[in-house]
Amino acid sequence: MSELKQFKLPDVGEGLTEADIVKWHVQPGDKVTINQIIVEIETAKAVVELPSPYEGVVAGLLVPEGTTADVGTPIISVEVGPDAGITTPPAPRGSTSADLVPPPPPESPSPSPSPSSSPAEGGTEPGIEGTLTPKEDERHAVLVGYGVKAGSTARRPRKAAAGSGAAAALAGSRPAVLAKPPVRKLARDLGVDLTLLSGTGPGGSNTRDDVQSAVRGLETAGPAAAEGPAPAAPNRFAPVTAVAREERIPIRGVRKHMAAAMVGSAFSAPHVTEFLQIDMTETMAATARLRTLPEFSEIRVSPLLLVARALMVAVARHPMINSSWDEDAQEIVVKHYVNLGIAAATERGLVVPNVKDAHALSLPGLGRALAELAETARAGQATPADLRGGTITITNVGVFGVDTGTPILTPGEAAILAFGRVKDAPWVHQGQLAVRKVTTLGLSFDHRIVDGELGSAVLRDIGAMLEDPLRMLAWS
Amino acid sequence: MAVNDAGRATSADSSRGGGQPESAEFIQLLTPEGERIEHPDYPLEISAEEIRGLYRDLVLVRRIDFEAIALQRQGELGLWASLLGQEAAQIGSGRALKPADMAFPTYREHGVAWCRGLDPTRLLELFRGVSNGGWDPAAHNFHLYTIVIGSQTLHATGYAMGIQRDGAVGGENGEAVIAYFGDGATSQGDVNEAFIWASVTNAPIVFFCQNNQWAISAPLERQSRVPLYLRAPGFGFPGVRVDGNDVLACLAVTRKAMQAARDGQGPTMIEAFTYRMGAHTTTDDPTRYRLAAELETWKLKDPIERVKAYLIRNELADESFFTELDAEAAELGARIRKACLEMPDPGPLAIFDNVYAEPNALLEAERDQYAAYLESFEEAVR
Amino acid sequence: MTRLTLSKALNEGLRKAMEDDPKVLIMGEDVGKLGGVFRVTDGLQKDFGEARVVDTPLAESGIVGTAIGLALRGYRPVCEIQFDGFVFPAFNQITTQLAKMRLRSLGNLILPVVIRIPCGGGIGAVEHHSESPEALFTHTGGLRVVACGDPADAYAMIQLAIKNDDPVIFFEPKRRYWERAEVDTAGGLAGALPLDRARVLIGGTDVTLLCYGPMVKTCAAAAAAAGEEGRSVEVIDLRSLAPLDTETIFESVRRTGRCVVAHEAPVTSGLGAEIAARVTEECFYHLEAPVLRVGGFSTPYPPSRLEEHYIPDLDRVLDAVDRTFGY
């Protein structure tokens, strides 16, 4: 029995991809022995004679003379096997000579292709149909790994979980989400979707704090409304009984954040606090009159509104008070806008949301903004944006029923005004003893930026405006 | 070589084209017609059996070469560097070596490999692309093939310096090194440095240059204006030119030079004047740069034909000897073909084997990654 | 326009350069009579003579060293190193002399030497014929390093390299020598992309795939395959390896947010490492994933039966693309 073997065109010279068939030295029906020259090919580099890898009978010439074939194309088929020809190749005659190639062994007929047979060789392959088929897995004389492989144009299929984890991302591209890589990891670890945050970092990127604030927002179960000042986490003094004598409250969330901010502020900026006791009577009257105006009918007007306005007028007169110390850049950054922070005590602790561009708001607008701010803060819904970017702060300690305090600067700011309670007190008014509405203003400032003269001037100005609100108008 | 009064070459050494070189120094003991001649400096005692043995070597080595070329043309080898025409230089010098001598080949010394006892199928790995070597140098004192031209001459020189330090120079058990290289290699810096080192250290080394006249398409005059063997005195050791197609002369000259080295007399350069009958490698096409007439001239100086003529004329071998040898050659060819076709491919992770002697964490990690990558496909590669 | 192989495109480019400037010389082993082992210099010695197309002795250090001398005398030599693995005898001349002489001369000297090196694997060759040593040269200040990826670029780039007054290491992808493409040999260089620019070969939106030389074709095929799967890959042929066209690279990565570099050379200390560092530094805020590299392993180039495992193929390139989406 025989089998049909095909010889595929090899790469004969380091990377050739094709060759021209120049001349066949055999024709179908010829017997061939191993290493007998069967064809001449021409490559980009050379004309080369190819020896037969098989012994048997030529079944068909698969590429006609004069055509170009790619490396790897079958060019000849040879029927091999006991029926097909000689089993052992004879020693090539002239093995001791300097001949490069052996002459054909005497047993096989000398092939000389006749002109009429050449053109027909390409198409007709007698004997192949029906009886003989090449084996699937036979080793072809093709340069596997030699020459230039064509290179695949399709992917090989991979197993299901190929470790790429990219299935989800295949459905088109997501919008760009800017975040430092570590922030991404934090977001992923905490289950925060960065695409839902508005970043407060450089270029609008999301920062670690943005992510953590979002987490805090997630943790808030619902509005935790509290009327008036919410006490700090209560210290319960346990009676001396069998009940635990100490209680441990984990430091986390807003408290943790605020504590860190306070420590940072207190121990980097040298704080100086100055006090000024003033007669608030005129301001209190003005406040009452404002409430009657239609522009303020929907707004809760409190003395804080005028204190805020006075502060901003003072800032306009003394811009340096509205600045921050940039240690890294070794610069003092004077802000020409006021993001007015109002310290608010909430159930979860102290937060300082700010009103953006408060200096540009009308008085009713400012009133509305302050009211909203207070509401949002009390409800625990201040956003990270609300909490960032403040330039100066008022802390309303009066609601706690104290006269004043030595407030700690909001980090990144140069001054904070403590507004204490307004009480009836004896005062020298127009040379006479009288009962007037009196309050004590306390102004803490960053002594690196603000010297005594400036701090005093600001405090004096605020005091002057609150003693006579008309000054706010004159100085605007 | 024509020389003017100042000692400068006035023309390139044009002896390549045919006939004897102009210089008288050309050791020959067997003419192309198969006649024995004597040379006073190189007496050769050799028996008929030994000559028949040499003839057998020549025939079988040529058959190996022939089979390998065919295998390349059939796509079973990526490349082959043929030694056609240079058999005598390699068999002659190879048979002059003692077992303890060390040989540093280039990439064409299949005849020397044969003499060293290396099975010819081992030569196939490199050309088939299964490995970059194919044998253990220590097994037959035959170094791996070096493809970068001339590099091995420095290795050979260093090895010879090692022999000196082992006290293995001189006496009955002296050892020496033979370094093979071609005419083109003599232009490389490394080869010239090797000459310097071997000379100033008096190393036990023979530099065996097979001047086959061509370095790919560069004829000898591209590399030198003087015969190559005359380089050696410039470096401080003797040079001798031998008919590279004369197996007896190559044997005798190499024996003498190797013994001198073993005895501690230092290096010798042997220029075996021969011809590269085939292409540089199977990717080369010599018809583009040399004339067929040149080839024809050298066919008349075939190294094997002259030995056959000698044996027949002197009735030292009968018909059955030649017939049996032809059969042996055919068998050898078939054995090489079979070994080639059956040679297993290395598995993909073999890339990571044998790179370092010590453990290398980076490489281990790469290996693991690649293994995992291969596992991730539905169907394995090949 | 004519359809040329990359080898022939280089041949035509060299011919044009030699016609344009009589100072241009070609020198190397077997470049004259034989026309080069890849036929890149075929026919040039016949037309321009032995003084201008020089068959040199077998000595790479000599080729580069004498080229330097010729350049000092006012010539513009184009050297051929026959195969990448044989450049090392010349490495001394290239790094200690060719790269440094202009600086040494405080700008008085130019060394307009081009060193052509067929590079890369995939041709089934023996040792030293399949290397990718480009990083050794990009790491050497004073040299320009370029790699052509297709016939049209080869034709233009070889001429631009010859006209350039700096020493240029010119890498040619040997397994692509026989690829054919349309080349405009009549148009001239006026509209050609400058030698120091990268080319966006295929526009895309999801990931930037950087490549050069022999990997350009592979990456183009990979991008096409990825496109079938609905992923838009932008393929950039770097062309200039030193200096890198960072403007093009960064503009792309800032758009796509992801970057993969593919080369045949080993990943360890390869050009991809340099690119990854720069991209990370300049496009940090735009990166959705780290820059990934695909390339050879940290081993010598393997025997040819194993090379298809070493050289990154379409699947390996796409594997890296997949992985950038896993972050």
Side-chain angles (χ1 to χ4, degrees):
Chain A
M1 63 167 245
S2 318
E3 65 178 286
L4 198 67
K5 291 204 187 279
Q6 290 185 329
F7 178 29
K8 293 184 181 174
L9 183 69
D11 162 26
V12 294
E14 280 173 343
L16 298 169
T17 56
E18 62 187 29
D20 297 337
I21 308 299
V22 173
K23 187 176 163 70
W24 283 108
H25 288 219
V26 294
Q27 49 186 330
D30 287 348
K31 286 185 181 159
V32 289
T33 55
I34 290 182
N35 295 339
Q36 177 182 339
I37 298 303
I38 49 174
V39 68
E40 240 172 79
I41 63 171
E42 181 165 5
T43 71
K45 288 190 182 183
V47 175
V48 178
E49 292 176 331
L50 298 186
S52 171
Y54 305 121
E55 176 173 336
V57 176
V58 177
L61 304 179
L62 307 178
V63 181
E65 288 176 0
T67 52
T68 305
D70 290 338
V71 166
T73 308
I75 56 173
I76 186 173
S77 56
V78 176
E79 194 190 322
V80 305
D83 298 338
I86 315 152
T87 44
T88 51
R93 201 173 354 106
S95 63
T96 60
S97 78
D99 284 348
L100 284 170
V101 297
E107 291 84 351
S108 71
S110 298
S112 50
S114 59
S116 59
S117 62
S118 303
E121 272 149 22
T124 61
E125 295 166 4
I128 289 186
E129 305 101 85
T131 47
L132 304 167
T133 49
K135 282 192 201 162
E136 283 292 316
D137 58 351
E138 71 175 86
R139 273 202 115 246
H140 295 296
V142 63
L143 288 161
V144 177
Y146 300 151
V148 180
K149 289 190 76 166
S152 56
T153 53
R155 296 185 76 156
R156 288 171 45 227
R158 301 189 72 172
K159 295 176 187 168
S164 60
L170 268 176
S173 47
R174 294 185 302 187
V177 174
L178 296 184
K180 291 184 193 177
V183 175
R184 290 176 188 282
K185 182 177 189 317
L186 179 68
R188 196 175 60 210
D189 291 347
L190 296 179
V192 172
D193 186 347
L194 285 171
T195 59
L196 300 180
L197 302 185
S198 52
T200 61
S205 59
N206 292 300
T207 66
R208 196 176 282 277
D209 285 336
D210 292 338
V211 171
Q212 285 169 340
S213 298
V215 171
R216 289 198 290 279
L218 292 171
E219 282 179 35
T220 307
E227 291 299 308
N235 280 330
R236 283 180 282 265
F237 289 94
V240 182
T241 62
V243 181
R245 291 161 60 80
E246 294 177 350
E247 181 184 342
R248 292 193 151 260
I249 301 162
I251 300 166
R252 61 158 72 98
V254 176
R255 173 173 302 281
K256 183 178 173 116
H257 184 75
M258 255 305 146
M262 283 181 202
V263 166
S265 175
F267 298 113
S268 63
H271 283 56
V272 167
T273 310
E274 292 187 344
F275 304 101
L276 183 66
Q277 205 172 45
I278 57 164
D279 179 354
M280 272 282 275
T281 312
E282 294 301 317
T283 296
M284 299 307 283
T287 305
R289 279 206 300 283
L290 284 174
R291 285 198 191 104
T292 66
L293 294 178
E295 289 79 3
F296 293 90
S297 57
E298 305 291 314
I299 303 167
R300 217 193 94 177
V301 183
S302 74
L304 180 62
L305 178 60
L306 292 177
V307 170
R309 179 55 127 226
L311 173 61
M312 289 194 285
V313 173
V315 163
R317 286 161 66 83
H318 308 280
M320 198 70 158
I321 199 79
N322 184 45
S323 62
S324 68
W325 181 270
D326 186 341
E327 180 66 33
D328 290 338
Q330 287 291 294
E331 291 167 342
I332 294 168
V333 187
V334 179
K335 321 280 172 74
H336 295 297
Y337 58 92
V338 177
N339 288 350
L340 181 64
I342 307 289
T346 71
E347 206 179 49
R348 297 164 62 83
L350 179 65
V351 292
V352 188
N354 59 78
V355 175
K356 304 286 192 273
D357 291 313
H359 67 287
L361 294 174
S362 64
L363 203 61
L366 184 60
R368 261 191 297 273
L370 289 174
E372 256 173 52
L373 198 81
E375 193 55 48
T376 312
R378 263 199 298 276
Q381 284 169 357
T383 69
D386 292 337
L387 301 175
R388 293 260 113 49
T391 65
I392 197 165
T393 301
I394 299 175
T395 177
N396 191 357
V397 301
V399 299
F400 299 127
V402 300
D403 292 326
T404 189
T406 53
I408 297 177
L409 296 170
T410 306
E413 296 179 8
I416 179 169
L417 180 71
F419 177 46
R421 64 173 177 159
V422 181
K423 64 181 181 186
D424 288 335
W427 194 258
V428 177
H429 178 63
Q430 290 171 349
Q432 299 276 313
L433 210 55
V435 173
R436 303 286 284 177
K437 306 280 184 197
V438 171
T439 189
T440 308
L441 300 171
L443 183 74
S444 290
F445 48 85
D446 183 341
H447 211 1
R448 297 174 297 184
I449 302 172
V450 182
D451 60 13
E453 185 180 342
L454 173 62
S456 308
V458 169
L459 193 55
R460 252 197 339 266
D461 280 1
I462 295 172
M465 280 185 268
L466 291 174
E467 290 198 327
D468 182 358
L470 209 56
R471 283 207 179 89
M472 281 187 235
L473 203 59
W475 290 350
S476 298
Chain B
M1 170 194 65
V3 173
N4 68 13
D5 291 339
R8 298 187 188 287
T10 55
S11 65
D13 185 20
S14 58
S15 50
R16 185 194 72 254
Q20 302 270 55
E22 295 173 44
S23 162
E25 291 180 54
F26 182 85
I27 312 300
Q28 188 180 66
L29 301 181
L30 186 68
T31 68
E33 294 70 32
E35 282 177 37
R36 269 295 257 121
I37 55 182
E38 299 291 325
H39 192 289
D41 296 339
Y42 298 96
L44 183 63
E45 298 269 333
I46 186 164
S47 68
E49 189 183 340
E50 283 169 309
I51 298 183
R52 282 195 296 274
L54 290 174
Y55 180 75
R56 174 176 169 273
D57 286 339
L58 294 166
V59 167
L60 293 181
V61 156
R62 181 167 287 184
R63 186 70 177 88
I64 293 166
D65 193 71
F66 171 83
E67 196 68 41
I69 294 174
L71 286 165
Q72 194 278 339
R73 293 287 183 239
Q74 290 152 0
E76 297 297 336
L77 294 177
L79 189 83
W80 182 256
S82 168
L83 55 49
L84 189 69
Q86 299 174 224
E87 297 88 347
Q90 295 187 16
I91 298 297
S93 61
R95 288 299 179 201
L97 305 176
K98 290 188 178 173
D101 295 330
M102 183 66 179
F104 283 81
T106 65
Y107 46 80
R108 206 190 289 281
E109 277 68 45
H110 323 310
V112 181
W114 174 261
C115 294
R116 297 264 81 192
L118 185 67
D119 188 86
T121 58
R122 306 309 303 274
L123 300 170
L124 299 174
E125 271 186 43
L126 168 70
F127 294 102
R128 189 159 165 87
V130 160
S131 81
N132 286 337
W135 60 89
D136 176 3
H140 301 283
N141 277 348
F142 185 69
H143 192 60
L144 299 172
Y145 278 178
T146 300
I147 290 172
V148 175
I149 304 290
S151 292
Q152 72 283 358
T153 56
L154 280 172
H155 311 157
T157 304
Y159 193 97
M161 290 163 65
I163 289 176
Q164 286 174 314
R165 281 151 180 76
D166 290 343
V169 178
E172 280 182 13
N173 298 318
E175 297 170 26
V177 178
I178 185 164
Y180 289 89
F181 53 100
D183 43 289
T186 59
S187 293
Q188 283 283 359
D190 277 5
V191 173
N192 287 276
E193 289 186 26
F195 287 173
I196 290 170
W197 282 65
S199 173
V200 300
T201 59
N202 203 47
I205 183 169
V206 172
F207 290 107
F208 194 95
C209 175
Q210 288 171 78
N211 175 6
N212 65 13
Q213 316 302 326
W214 291 94
I216 307 188
S217 72
L220 180 65
E221 53 256 34
R222 283 285 104 204
Q223 318 297 349
S224 183
R225 296 188 71 180
V226 298
L228 296 177
Y229 78 102
L230 288 181
R231 293 257 176 101
F235 285 93
F237 49 89
V240 56
R241 184 155 65 181
V242 66
D243 178 351
N245 284 15
D246 174 354
V247 69
L248 298 182
C250 290
L251 177 66
V253 170
T254 309
R255 262 187 191 160
K256 186 170 179 181
M258 285 299 287
Q259 195 54 46
R262 291 187 206 107
D263 290 343
Q265 289 168 34
T268 305
M269 180 190 177
I270 300 174
E271 178 193 348
F273 198 85
T274 178
Y275 193 80
R276 195 194 75 204
M277 296 296 283
H280 166 68
T281 63
T282 43
T283 67
D284 180 33
D285 177 10
T287 64
R288 292 177 69 100
Y289 52 81
R290 65 185 191 186
L291 300 174
E294 192 177 280
L295 203 61
E296 293 304 313
T297 313
W298 278 87
K299 275 187 190 169
L300 300 175
K301 294 186 272 194
D302 182 76
I304 300 181
E305 285 299 308
R306 64 176 81 178
V307 182
K308 185 174 189 182
Y310 174 81
L311 289 172
I312 290 175
R313 187 177 308 118
N314 294 282
E315 294 173 347
L316 299 175
D318 57 15
E319 188 67 32
S320 66
F321 170 76
F322 294 107
T323 317
E324 279 164 24
L325 184 55
D326 279 352
E328 189 184 359
E331 258 177 54
L332 179 58
R335 182 163 79 82
I336 285 170
R337 166 167 298 271
K338 185 166 188 289
C340 182
L341 295 178
E342 289 174 1
M343 195 174 290
D345 284 343
L349 298 181
I351 288 181
F352 303 95
D353 293 339
N354 300 313
V355 179
Y356 292 98
E358 307 282 344
N360 185 304
L362 175 74
L363 204 56
E364 296 304 315
E366 282 186 16
R367 182 196 184 103
D368 292 341
Q369 278 164 18
Y370 192 59
Y373 170 81
L374 291 175
E375 282 293 306
S376 75
F377 287 90
E378 283 180 1
E379 283 172 33
V381 185
R382 283 205 273 136
Chain C
M1 292 286 261
T2 25
R3 203 161 158 73
L4 298 177
T5 62
L6 197 145
S7 166
K8 188 69 173 150
L10 287 166
N11 183 269
E12 294 285 330
L14 287 168
R15 178 177 288 278
K16 188 85 181 30
M18 292 190 77
E19 285 167 359
D20 286 351
D21 184 352
K23 293 298 197 181
V24 175
L25 310 176
I26 291 178
M27 44 199 292
E29 295 158 21
D30 306 293
V31 298
K33 197 98 188 283
L34 184 62
V37 292
F38 289 105
R39 309 295 180 258
V40 174
T41 52
D42 195 26
L44 295 176
Q45 190 182 64
K46 181 171 65 66
D47 293 339
F48 294 97
E50 288 185 21
R52 290 188 69 191
V53 182
V54 183
D55 276 322
T56 65
L58 211 175
E60 288 78 10
S61 185
I63 292 171
V64 177
T66 56
I68 291 172
L70 284 160
L72 292 171
R73 185 69 185 182
Y75 287 90
R76 299 183 86 92
V78 182
C79 304
E80 177 179 300
I81 300 293
Q82 200 161 82
F83 283 92
D84 37 73
F86 302 137
V87 72
F88 300 105
F91 200 66
N92 169 55
Q93 287 285 345
I94 293 172
T95 54
T96 70
Q97 306 305 323
L98 190 63
K100 299 190 186 194
M101 210 176 279
R102 179 172 171 81
L103 175 61
R104 200 180 292 155
S105 77
L106 296 179
N108 283 314
L109 299 174
I110 58 165
L111 289 183
V113 176
V114 175
I115 300 184
R116 294 180 38 244
I117 306 180
C119 72
I123 63 166
V126 290
E127 260 189 303
H128 318 298
H129 291 66
S130 310
E131 308 290 312
S132 297
E134 64 273 9
L136 301 173
F137 299 101
T138 60
H139 192 57
T140 304
L143 299 175
R144 285 187 184 268
V145 183
V146 301
C148 56
D150 64 58
D153 254 345
Y155 176 73
M157 286 171 73
I158 189 65
Q159 295 179 65
L160 291 172
I162 291 171
K163 285 189 183 340
N164 195 295
D165 281 346
D166 287 325
V168 180
I169 312 294
F170 191 96
F171 283 107
E172 302 167 1
K174 69 173 84 71
R175 67 170 151 142
R176 306 295 181 209
Y177 271 143
W178 313 114
E179 304 272 341
R180 284 197 175 79
E182 295 294 324
V183 179
D184 181 5
T185 54
L189 294 176
L193 192 61
L195 200 60
D196 60 358
R197 300 309 303 263
R199 178 194 306 281
V200 178
L201 200 66
I202 299 174
T205 55
D206 296 343
V207 54
T208 299
L209 178 56
L210 304 174
C211 55
Y212 50 91
M215 288 301 295
V216 173
K217 185 177 181 206
T218 309
C219 289
E228 307 271 309
E229 295 167 358
R231 175 158 291 149
S232 170
V233 177
E234 177 150 298
V235 179
I236 297 181
D237 176 357
L238 291 175
R239 297 167 85 250
S240 181
L241 309 185
L244 288 166
D245 178 2
T246 50
E247 190 186 323
T248 303
I249 295 171
F250 296 159
E251 188 283 324
S252 175
V253 178
R254 286 183 185 132
R255 251 188 305 111
T256 65
R258 294 170 208 273
C259 184
V260 173
V261 189
H263 50 56
E264 286 191 21
V267 168
T268 301
S269 306
L271 191 58
E274 172 65 28
I275 294 171
R278 282 184 190 266
V279 167
T280 301
E281 192 174 340
E282 296 291 332
C283 306
F284 188 64
Y285 285 104
H286 293 81
L287 284 175
E288 303 282 328
V291 179
L292 296 184
R293 304 163 290 158
V294 199
F297 305 113
S298 306
T299 69
Y301 195 88
S304 63
R305 287 292 197 179
L306 288 171
E307 67 180 338
E308 68 179 54
H309 288 284
Y310 186 93
I311 299 179
D313 60 8
L314 178 142
D315 286 299
R316 285 250 296 282
V317 172
L318 289 180
D319 174 70
V321 167
D322 286 347
R323 282 185 286 117
T324 63
F325 284 94
Y327 288 84

